[in-house]
Amino acid sequence: MKYLLLLWLPFLLCIPQGAEAQTIPVGDPLEEYVRYLYLDGNPSFNIRPISGIEIGTAGVFPVPEHSGAKRMQQGTRRKVHPWQDVQLFNSDVRSLYGLYTPSLMTTYNSEMAFGQNDGALWQGRGLNSAVSFGGYLDVGPLHVSFRPVITYSQNREFELSPFDAHPEVSAFSAPFDRRYDVPQRFGSDPFSRFDLGESSVELQYKGFAAGVSNKNIWTGPAVQNPILFSNNAPGFLHGFLGTYRPVTTPIGSFEGRLIWGGLRESDYFDEDPGNDLRFINAVTLNYSPSFIPGLSIGAVRTFLLTYPEDGLDTSDFFSVAIPFTKENFYSEDSPQGNDDGYQMISLFGRWAFPSAGFEVYGEWARNDHSRDNRDLSIHFTHARAFMFGGVKRLELSGNRWLVFNTEWTNISAERGGSSEYRSAGTYYTNGTVIQGFTNRGQLMGAAIGPGSDSQLGKVRLYDEWGLAGLSFNRIDYQQDRLERNLDTINSAQEGTYQRYELNEVEYRFGLHGLVFLPYNLEVQADIYQSRFFNRHNIYGDDVSNTNVQVTVRYQLESFRR
């Protein structure tokens, strides 16, 4: 019998399967483009990667009727959006197996380590590169993706902080305390690494999915700086149960995912092998009501725990269900109600107005739980962070788009709310789970980092040949660190300064381009010129850095994005 199945297998693999359902990797330029294409709030883009996208069998993505774009008439293929000819929008059949689009990303930093939202790659000073490749297999409800990444960092020397790291951690670690595993430099030598990248094994059925994945997760509607999950760090191996596309009901559509996984320490934190692995339990939910078109609201909650020597208890797998207040943990051993884990919660929403080509979005988060319900009511903004932004798409003549995006993110727990009279924990750091919200030495949340404030503006022109864009970003770094260590920081200065005189502020200007070339090539380039004032909070220590990123993709018609 098994030999008969083997004989039939080649024929089964050639059977067309109808319209192709694809997953766009987090951070792919097509992901952002599809968001601007679908300015009707569906899909929500609050839980990513975006999966289950059905490609129109007429050779064009099914653009909403109210988009204002030209429509197809009597079966004639017409231009309805600038990138209609891109392979993603022109796939009529689904293959049971095939290859992913290979890509090569090469970057260069002139003066320091700098990188953001780049997944497994750590961009040190000098040259860095990441090669992505792989293939997939779809058999009925089983979907297997193997898409590893190989990275290389030249890791040239540059000036580190003049302030020492905690004595119990590596000299390459962040200064002042040991609650944050984000090394300033990954050792003193060049290095390379193999990473599973966007790989997964999952079962899908009627909108629901379960499996094991290493793919990057992005939660909330932010374009640049989500407060909890982003692709700023390498993906982590995790099991999941939830939806892979919105599940529609009469009252609206629902998305959600329950996650269990492991976060790993970098090689440049401490020498204790017993705390190298952290267990993470997270749940994320999104609801798009049918009676309010374009609106999507959701939430994500995370719970981190240093992996116990004697293994996990059953209750640990449902840590996100524990109460939100500390009063539930009061005991003789813990009179303050402190537990052994680290939790964060975020609420987010996105409201799109398709007739205007416009959307607004936002996210609000808390870094820790309240003492009790009364404390929550009185000090609702304690240890809070927020992000809000907007997108405007203008449809120009010649089937072109001009897209404006602005975003403001504040992750400074010590600057606002009740922080003037009550200490708040710095985001992404924790006194018990001392590596904080990181994986393999990179931050999993907003790339700007803890205690920081960002204002971002960008504009992009989309045409059939690709895109061209500009961006401007102002970032005020590590305000909590400066607030808590002002005396120590002043002791390293030639004079004594007020707090407001020592803020480390970056002004970053960006040029962006993407071109679709002959011979199935796609070239993307991003150039950032940054000027840092008061580097490491040292008055007058101003540094410039140039970051160049070039990505080449080879996109054959049979390749999946």
Side-chain angles (χ1 to χ4, degrees), residues 99-104 120-121 130-136 144-151 193-200 214-215:
L99 298 177
Y100 285 112
T101 299
S103 68
L104 169 63
L121 180 63
V131 179
S132 173
F133 57 93
Y136 65 88
V144 180
S145 298
F146 180 64
R147 197 173 192 177
V149 179
I150 299 175
T151 68
R193 181 171 177 265
F194 175 88
D195 188 270
L196 286 175
E198 301 296 297
S199 300
S200 68
N214 196 73
K215 294 180 179 180

Side-chain angles (χ1 to χ4, degrees), residues 81-343:
H81 58 91
W83 287 3
Q84 175 182 317
D85 294 330
V86 174
Q87 188 271 342
L88 177 69
F89 308 114
N90 291 278
S91 181
D92 292 334
V93 296
R94 178 176 179 176
S95 301
L96 289 180
Y97 63 95
L99 298 177
Y100 285 112
T101 299
S103 68
L104 169 63
M105 179 180 183
T106 302
T107 79
Y108 172 79
N109 278 309
S110 63
E111 300 298 329
M112 65 183 70
F114 171 85
Q116 57 184 4
N117 299 342
D118 48 14
L121 180 63
W122 183 78
Q123 297 189 51
R125 183 178 176 225
L127 291 173
N128 311 276
S129 61
V131 179
S132 173
F133 57 93
Y136 65 88
L137 173 67
D138 295 340
V139 180
L142 176 65
H143 299 265
V144 180
S145 298
F146 180 64
R147 197 173 192 177
V149 179
I150 299 175
T151 68
Y152 167 80
S153 298
Q154 188 180 14
N155 195 21
R156 292 173 56 193
E157 184 179 5
F158 62 96
E159 184 179 358
L160 302 182
S161 171
F163 305 105
D164 294 334
H166 191 279
E168 296 182 21
V169 298
S170 165
F172 293 107
S173 291
F176 294 111
D177 61 42
R178 60 181 296 239
R179 302 184 302 164
Y180 184 46
D181 179 23
V182 179
Q184 301 176 73
R185 188 181 177 201
F186 279 34
S188 56
D189 299 312
F191 66 91
S192 59
R193 181 171 177 265
F194 175 88
D195 188 270
L196 286 175
E198 301 296 297
S199 300
S200 68
V201 178
E202 58 186 281
L203 295 172
Q204 298 179 356
Y205 182 71
K206 293 186 176 181
F208 295 92
V212 178
S213 174
N214 196 73
K215 294 180 179 180
N216 275 116
I217 302 167
W218 188 293
T219 57
V223 174
Q224 183 73 17
N225 286 306
I227 298 178
L228 288 191
F229 288 98
S230 74
N231 67 331
N232 190 62
F236 61 95
L237 196 62
H238 62 275
F240 68 89
L241 176 65
T243 62
Y244 71 91
R245 66 184 180 198
V247 176
T248 303
T249 72
I251 62 172
S253 61
F254 293 85
E255 301 166 79
R257 188 157 285 202
L258 188 58
I259 295 167
W260 306 269
L263 306 179
R264 295 196 174 275
E265 182 181 291
S266 74
D267 293 333
Y268 306 99
F269 188 62
D270 65 16
E271 299 295 329
D272 180 7
N275 65 4
D276 287 355
L277 180 64
R278 283 151 290 150
F279 171 73
I280 181 171
N281 181 207
V283 61
T284 181
L285 302 168
N286 184 79
Y287 170 52
S288 302
S290 58
F291 48 88
I292 308 180
L295 178 65
S296 299
I297 55 175
V300 57
R301 192 183 189 198
T302 66
F303 192 93
L304 271 66
L305 182 71
T306 301
Y307 199 90
E309 292 184 4
D310 55 352
L312 297 169
D313 294 331
T314 302
S315 59
D316 293 329
F317 289 91
F318 304 96
S319 301
V320 291
I322 65 174
F324 288 89
T325 57
K326 290 188 176 184
E327 62 182 347
N328 296 277
F329 302 99
Y330 289 158
S331 66
E332 293 183 0
D333 296 331
S334 180
Q336 298 297 320
N338 296 321
D339 53 29
D340 295 329
Y342 172 36
Q343 60 177 304

Side-chain angles (χ1 to χ4, degrees), residues 391-416:
V391 171
K392 173 62 179 177
R393 186 191 70 199
L394 297 176
E395 298 182 6
L396 308 179
S397 61
N399 194 44
R400 293 173 296 170
W401 289 350
L402 196 62
V403 179
F404 299 89
N405 174 221
T406 183
E407 192 170 291
W408 178 22
T409 310
N410 184 290
I411 314 182
S412 179
E414 289 287 354
R415 305 294 294 173

Side-chain angles (χ1 to χ4, degrees), residues 333-543:
D333 296 331
S334 180
Q336 298 297 320
N338 296 321
D339 53 29
D340 295 329
Y342 172 36
Q343 60 177 304
M344 292 182 288
I345 188 170
S346 162
L347 308 175
F348 49 76
R350 175 176 177 243
W351 202 347
F353 302 88
S355 60
F358 176 70
E359 70 168 76
V360 292
Y361 58 87
E363 184 174 10
W364 181 93
R366 278 192 63 134
N367 195 39
D368 204 354
H369 46 324
S370 301
R371 295 188 182 278
D372 51 35
N373 291 330
R374 182 178 180 84
D375 178 40
L376 177 62
S377 300
I378 297 174
H379 299 293
F380 185 73
T381 61
H382 181 66
R384 61 93 184 104
F386 64 83
M387 176 282 305
F388 66 84
V391 171
K392 173 62 179 177
R393 186 191 70 199
L394 297 176
E395 298 182 6
L396 308 179
S397 61
N399 194 44
R400 293 173 296 170
W401 289 350
L402 196 62
V403 179
F404 299 89
N405 174 221
T406 183
E407 192 170 291
W408 178 22
T409 310
N410 184 290
I411 314 182
S412 179
E414 289 287 354
R415 305 294 294 173
S418 58
S419 60
E420 293 184 5
Y421 52 87
R422 178 181 177 185
S423 178
T426 299
Y427 262 80
Y428 310 131
T429 72
N430 187 258
T432 303
V433 185
I434 59 176
Q435 295 84 356
F437 197 54
T438 66
N439 184 39
R440 297 190 183 276
Q442 298 194 63
L443 180 65
M444 293 179 57
I448 59 176
S452 301
D453 190 19
S454 166
Q455 297 85 40
L456 169 71
K458 65 180 185 179
V459 58
R460 296 201 172 190
L461 173 67
Y462 289 91
D463 206 334
E464 61 181 8
W465 48 261
L467 72 85
L470 301 170
S471 66
F472 169 76
N473 202 180
R474 177 190 179 274
I475 305 171
D476 192 345
Y477 287 103
Q478 296 277 8
Q479 297 176 55
D480 293 356
R481 177 185 67 189
L482 177 58
E483 187 84 16
R484 293 171 178 172
N485 300 280
L486 181 59
D487 291 341
T488 302
I489 290 173
N490 255 321
S491 67
Q493 315 281 340
E494 293 184 359
T496 300
Y497 298 92
Q498 299 295 319
R499 181 204 176 282
Y500 66 85
E501 297 178 286
L502 297 176
N503 287 44
E504 180 180 348
V505 177
E506 176 194 4
Y507 286 89
R508 182 190 309 160
F509 299 89
L511 296 175
H512 313 279
L514 185 148
V515 180
F516 302 114
L517 297 175
Y519 306 107
N520 306 301
L521 290 175
E522 174 186 319
V523 178
Q524 177 184 354
D526 300 275
I527 302 173
Y528 296 99
Q529 182 62 46
S530 295
R531 181 66 173 174
F532 292 82
F533 295 90
N534 300 333
R535 180 73 170 153
H536 306 302
N537 303 119
I538 300 299
Y539 185 84
D541 186 5
D542 303 338
V543 181

